[in-house]
Structure formats: structure tokens, C-alpha cells
Amino acid sequence: MFQNPFSLKGRISRTEFWLSCFAYLGLISLFFMTMDKSAATIRNTSEHWFVVLILGPCLWLLFVQAVKRSHDIGKSGWLIMNPYYYYQLFFERGQPCTNHHGEDPRVVRLRSVIPDDDLFNYLNEHKRNLGRDN
């Protein structure tokens, strides 16, 4: 999780996207509570640049995470310009296989826990068990 967080390439899972959004909201809330004023009331130029230095990377990180999540469901990153598209990002399951944006993030996570020779057998058995549920 959180590999290359500032890169537009790759895919992230729903879990990582939710965690990114909660971390962003927590950081911004904490930032404004410590500032004790909102961005609209900042009049001093030095305080304004301080806000830009803090919010700039946070906004970029949220933008990049949304693009990566869009890649996970097999869509273009440009769709994040539509505010209603975020509902799809939060709730739609990612593509279960490799797409042209990269490998399934869940499989990448499994590779760190399960050796490569056992991973293929594990995934095939998991698919068979899913077939029994239907």
C-alpha cells in the first residue's frame, strides 16, 4: 500500500483510496484547527504561502490517488473532473485482472505475503470457491 503516492501511474484499491481520503480530511482538519482561522480569513502574505505549501501537496496527493483509483476500475483518469464520478470510485470494485494500467493491487499485496509458486495455486482455489457460491 501507498507505493509511489505522488506518481500518476499504477492502480490502488478501494481500501487505499478510502484511507487516503480520510488521511487528507484529518490532516486538513488538524491544519485548520491549529491555524485557528479559515483560508478565507488569511490576510497576511506569509500565512498565505504557508497554507499553499501545506495544501498544495495534499491536494496533489488526493488528485493522484483518485486517478489511480480510476485506473483500477479500468477507466481514464480524466473522469475525475466529474464530481459525481467519485461515488463510483468509492464503491465500485476494481478489475480483478491486470489491465493496461498495471496489476491488480490485491494480487500485488498477496505477493508480499505468499511465495510466487503458491500464489497461482491460491488464486485458482479462490476462484473455484467463488464458483461454488453461485
Side-chain angles (χ1 to χ4, degrees):
M1 280 178 73
F2 297 106
Q3 295 174 352
N4 301 325
F6 294 101
S7 170
L8 289 169
K9 295 181 180 182
R11 298 167 59 176
I12 61 169
S13 63
R14 279 183 294 188
T15 304
E16 190 172 341
F17 186 64
W18 277 93
L19 289 174
S20 300
C21 290
F22 282 131
Y24 172 77
L25 289 174
L27 185 66
I28 296 302
S29 299
L30 181 68
F31 175 71
F32 282 120
M33 286 185 339
T34 58
M35 288 284 295
D36 197 30
K37 40 179 114 168
S38 69
T41 61
I42 295 176
R43 290 181 175 82
N44 189 350
T45 310
S46 63
E47 289 177 356
H48 175 71
W49 283 108
F50 183 68
V51 169
V52 169
L53 287 175
I54 296 295
L55 292 183
C58 290
L59 286 173
W60 177 253
L61 181 66
L62 191 63
F63 169 77
V64 166
Q65 296 296 76
V67 168
K68 285 182 175 183
R69 179 70 187 117
S70 186
H71 290 169
D72 187 42
I73 59 176
K75 306 276 171 84
S76 170
W78 287 102
L79 290 173
I80 67 167
M81 299 301 181
N82 179 356
Y84 298 109
Y85 182 64
Y86 282 85
Y87 291 113
Q88 190 173 3
L89 293 179
F90 278 116
F91 298 111
E92 186 174 336
R93 187 175 187 161
Q95 290 182 330
C97 55
T98 300
N99 65 18
H100 61 280
H101 296 290
E103 276 191 292
D104 183 1
R106 291 169 289 167
V107 172
V108 172
R109 220 176 307 136
L110 280 174
R111 269 210 186 105
S112 65
V113 179
I114 302 171
D116 281 340
D117 52 345
D118 294 333
L119 183 62
F120 181 74
N121 297 331
Y122 173 81
L123 291 175
N124 281 335
E125 180 152 339
H126 183 66
K127 285 180 186 177
R128 275 185 264 151
N129 290 337
L130 288 176
R132 288 185 203 146
D133 294 339
N134 293 335

